Amino acid sequence: MNEPDLPTPDLRGQTVLVLHAHPDDESIFSGLTLRRLADAGARTILVLATAGELGGSRVPLRPGETVPERRIAELETAAELLGVSRLVLLGGRDSGLPGGPGLAHPRALAAADPLTLARHVAELADDEGAATIVHDDEHGIYGHPDHNAAFRVGALAAELTGATAYRTTVDREHLHTAARDGHLVHGAARAAATPFGRATVEIALAVSGTDAHLEVKRAAITAHASQLGPDDVPLSTFAAAYGYEWYRRTGPAGVLDRLGNAHLVGAPRV
Ligand SMILES: [Zn+2]
């Protein structure tokens, strides 16, 4: 059992823009949040900065199909599962791991002018009336160049629009005790040779979900079948590794806080 007692806020009329670097990040890092926002009646705008062009595919593609085409199709499936109201692709290209050749590509997200992209995101947020923007934290969750870029773009867009910003991260202390080596971020951080996440004390908000929300989150993650399979997110450890989504916040408590904070002071950690 994950969280049996969750607030059920009425968020009709609220719009939240959620920015991520690659298809699958939305499900891994904010799948519960997106689903719960949709359930509460909020409109959610999911913005993907790249199509994950350098992720390869662990399954055979159809003749003529490209990796980004496959990944966008998977993203559309995941977005539907998560109740996303509108999906927008920002048009950057996956930059790959630090030191790799992807960074030299003319459309590499990590080399793009963050202000140009931030203006685009800010315009979207303004058009949609989104007073809340969710984006990677200052460390890019685990330091991948595209996640660092997603931080710069998201933070600038929040500044341009005056939106409350929630900065996506993971609680590395929680993951250390509850899910040692059992979260995809562990392998990703190893591949990028970077530290990851934050200490508990640096995190403002931990969003959790019910067993049903967790089931949806797992289905959304595994919709990205070109990147991972069900064995990569085993049921036995799924709640421990993926049962919370963690955010730092700039500005006063906002829409995401109304989903409830699982880190209640003095409460035993689940
Ligand atoms: Zn990513």
Side-chain angles (χ1 to χ4, degrees), residues 97-98 142 187-195:
L97 292 173
Y142 66 94
R190 258 197 308 277
T194 54

Side-chain angles (χ1 to χ4, degrees), residues 61-95:
L61 300 176
R62 285 191 304 277
E65 188 183 34
T66 64
V67 167
E69 282 167 1
R70 168 62 68 99
R71 295 199 68 177
I72 289 166
E74 293 169 348
L75 173 64
E76 285 168 349
T77 303
E80 201 171 323
L81 287 165
L82 299 174
V84 168
S85 313
R86 181 180 171 195
L87 178 60
V88 178
L89 292 167
L90 212 49
R93 186 178 188 270
D94 193 338
S95 309

Side-chain angles (χ1 to χ4, degrees), residues 175-231:
L175 289 182
H176 184 71
T177 37
R180 194 174 297 240
D181 217 29
H183 192 289
L184 288 162
V185 77
H186 290 117
R190 258 197 308 277
T194 54
F196 69 90
R198 295 280 179 170
T200 308
V201 71
E202 298 176 288
I203 291 166
L205 179 71
V207 171
S208 62
T210 62
D211 289 351
H213 293 128
L214 269 170
E215 233 171 84
V216 173
K217 175 172 177 169
R218 188 161 180 271
I221 292 175
T222 54
H224 296 278
S226 69
Q227 305 302 303
L228 48 87
D231 291 351

Side-chain angles (χ1 to χ4, degrees), residues 21-22 25 142 147:
H22 311 114
D25 290 324
Y142 66 94
H147 287 255

Side-chain angles (χ1 to χ4, degrees), residues 20-25 28-29 50 71 136 142 144 146-147:
H20 280 290
H22 311 114
D24 74 10
D25 290 324
I28 294 167
F29 297 110
T50 79
R71 295 199 68 177
D136 285 58
Y142 66 94
H144 185 292
D146 289 331
H147 287 255

Side-chain angles (χ1 to χ4, degrees), residues 163-181:
T164 295
Y166 288 91
R167 299 178 172 183
T168 311
T169 187
V170 295
D171 181 336
R172 80 166 87 88
E173 293 176 72
H174 171 85
L175 289 182
H176 184 71
T177 37
R180 194 174 297 240
D181 217 29

